[in-house]
Amino acid sequence: MAWYSMRAVVEYLAPDALEDIKVFAEWDPHSGAAIRATGVLQFNAGKTATFDVGYTAGAAVMELTVAGTSGILTQDDFVLDWQSGFVFDNPDIQTGFIHRSGLATRNDFAFIETPSERSQHALMIDNFADLIRNGDAAEREIWLSATEKTQVFLDAIWQEIQTQTRASPAMTPQVNMRENP
């Protein structure tokens, strides 16, 4: 889940450098695993991104919201393919996003449909295969750079969680391996 969030930051926000970060983590008391994290990332040029990832919500939600000067775009479960995915297969569900601007009620929100003849998974594989077969060096470098930047942001988030845990013994997960094999 965190990977998708950071890849969306790289793709839509296109930041150059991370300037500041604040992350709060929740730990599983039995395993010591990080099970939830919420944070704010501040990038160059005053751009910010927030995220909330975890396994404790009771529902699978992967929403994307992009806010800008002319409005807000929201896509519910942007990682899932409602119409022809591996989790859902319902061709009656419209694919698209909501555009909001100004002071408006839900009735005034615009739903922008983004239909596709192929599933997003097939398109992703096609795109990757095309990049291998036909992509030039510059095109490959764009993809490699985006992937590397995604990983740099994820690493920064994990480092911030680790730094906070080391700085505050109260935040350190208490795991007794004898009681919880």
Side-chain angles (χ1 to χ4, degrees):
M1 289 188 294
W3 188 90
Y4 293 116
S5 298
M6 285 308 105
R7 186 56 178 232
V9 166
V10 170
E11 296 287 335
Y12 298 119
L13 197 58
D16 290 324
L18 180 62
E19 292 182 355
D20 199 5
I21 182 171
K22 188 67 174 176
V23 180
F24 301 92
E26 179 184 341
W27 302 92
D28 178 67
H30 301 292
S31 68
I35 56 174
R36 171 168 231 85
T38 300
V40 179
L41 305 172
Q42 180 183 4
F43 299 101
N44 56 307
K47 297 177 182 179
T48 60
T50 61
F51 66 91
D52 183 32
V53 296
Y55 300 97
T56 59
V61 177
M62 299 175 222
E63 294 182 343
L64 173 68
T65 300
V66 179
T69 58
S70 63
I72 297 172
L73 303 176
T74 304
Q75 187 172 15
D76 65 339
D77 297 318
F78 75 104
V79 184
L80 300 175
D81 187 339
W82 295 101
Q83 291 184 327
S84 57
F86 62 90
V87 176
F88 300 101
D89 188 15
N90 188 338
D92 296 329
I93 296 178
Q94 294 177 319
T95 301
F97 60 91
I98 294 171
H99 177 247
R100 300 167 52 177
S101 63
L103 185 58
T105 69
R106 288 186 188 133
N107 292 336
D108 299 318
F109 297 173
F111 181 78
I112 315 310
E113 193 171 354
T114 56
S116 176
E117 292 180 13
R118 303 201 48 192
S119 76
Q120 69 181 18
H121 301 98
L123 292 171
M124 179 179 62
I125 291 167
D126 289 349
N127 191 352
F128 184 71
D130 186 59
L131 185 65
I132 292 168
R133 283 191 311 257
N134 305 319
D136 60 23
E139 192 175 348
R140 286 189 186 114
E141 184 56 38
I142 290 169
W143 279 96
L144 288 171
S145 177
T147 301
E148 180 181 28
K149 195 174 282 191
T150 301
Q151 190 62 50
V152 165
F153 297 156
L154 288 169
D155 290 346
I157 291 166
W158 184 244
Q159 182 62 42
E160 176 66 12
I161 291 170
Q162 295 299 305
T163 299
Q164 289 179 9
T165 302
R166 285 191 298 272
S168 174
M171 291 178 64
T172 303
Q174 300 299 316
V175 178
N176 184 335
M177 294 309 285
R178 288 187 184 158
E179 292 177 13
N180 303 303

